[in-house]
Amino acid sequence: MSMNWDLLLCCIATLCFYSANAICDMTEDKIQVSEFDVIPGGQKLGHEKHWDGINFSCNFTYQAQGGTKESWLMGLSMNADNTKFSCSVERPGSSSYLFFQSFRMMVGGVQAVGAEVKGSDHSPLNPEEYVMVESSSSVSQVDGKFKSMLGRVELCAVKPKQEL
């Protein structure tokens, strides 16, 4: 019996993003998922995704150490009227064994209004370990407080109000 890995990955990603968007207080109608490798070695690396035709992007940068590369997912989602958005990055299905020296997630074209960060065991990080900055629509570790364990990062955002 052969396993269709693309189908399995899609199912896992969909379940992760549907359950996770509860923190964003939205039901997403549109989802885009991409897979990427988190590579240890201490250099600053990243993954970025743009939503074609919509002014919405997500950029995740990190520095990690330990072990070998891991497969992670980035998911962008939005509601039907394109007013609520979410970007999440996570290690699906298992805990991460990497030690993150730093991380930063930033969304573009939208205004971040909330963030959730979980450790490698998928329990929420202590609030002093990370900071969300609304002015830059980003979330990142707090140097000296972050305990180097990361399993999931999500930013919730809204379409910026147009000034007349």
Side-chain angles (χ1 to χ4, degrees):
M1 181 167 116
S2 69
M3 165 111 10
N4 183 333
W5 291 107
D6 289 335
L7 179 60
L8 179 62
L9 176 64
C10 182
C11 290
I12 290 171
T14 301
L15 288 173
C16 290
F17 296 118
Y18 274 120
S19 64
N21 275 319
I23 70 130
C24 290
D25 189 31
M26 70 179 262
T27 31
E28 69 283 333
D29 290 311
K30 304 168 198 162
I31 301 172
Q32 290 186 3
V33 178
S34 61
E35 184 177 11
F36 68 101
D37 288 330
V38 170
I39 301 168
Q43 61 269 53
K44 190 176 227 176
L45 300 170
H47 183 73
E48 185 169 18
K49 185 155 181 63
H50 298 267
W51 196 297
D52 292 334
I54 303 286
N55 186 19
F56 174 39
S57 64
C58 182
N59 184 304
F60 177 70
T61 57
Y62 66 89
Q63 290 176 278
Q65 292 286 355
T68 59
K69 68 181 180 179
E70 294 179 340
S71 179
W72 283 56
L73 297 175
M74 176 181 278
L76 276 63
S77 60
M78 71 176 107
N79 65 353
D81 62 0
N82 298 350
T83 58
K84 292 184 178 180
F85 302 83
S86 169
C87 176
S88 61
V89 168
E90 68 184 288
R91 169 99 163 121
S94 63
S95 297
S96 175
Y97 52 81
L98 296 176
F99 294 96
F100 284 81
Q101 297 162 279
S102 68
F103 73 89
R104 183 175 189 205
M105 176 184 280
M106 184 174 4
V107 291
V110 294
Q111 178 63 49
V113 294
E116 181 179 67
V117 183
K118 294 186 176 185
S120 60
D121 62 354
H122 295 284
S123 62
L125 290 188
N126 291 323
E128 66 269 5
E129 290 187 69
Y130 66 95
V131 62
M132 188 191 97
V133 180
E134 286 186 24
S135 62
S136 63
S137 289
S138 66
V139 62
S140 59
Q141 86 288 340
V142 173
D143 292 334
K145 302 280 186 179
F146 178 55
K147 295 182 178 109
S148 301
M149 305 310 288
L150 192 65
R152 177 172 172 57
V153 181
E154 181 172 19
L155 271 176
C156 305
V158 296
K159 189 177 219 176
K161 295 190 188 238
Q162 299 293 325
E163 305 245 353
L164 297 177

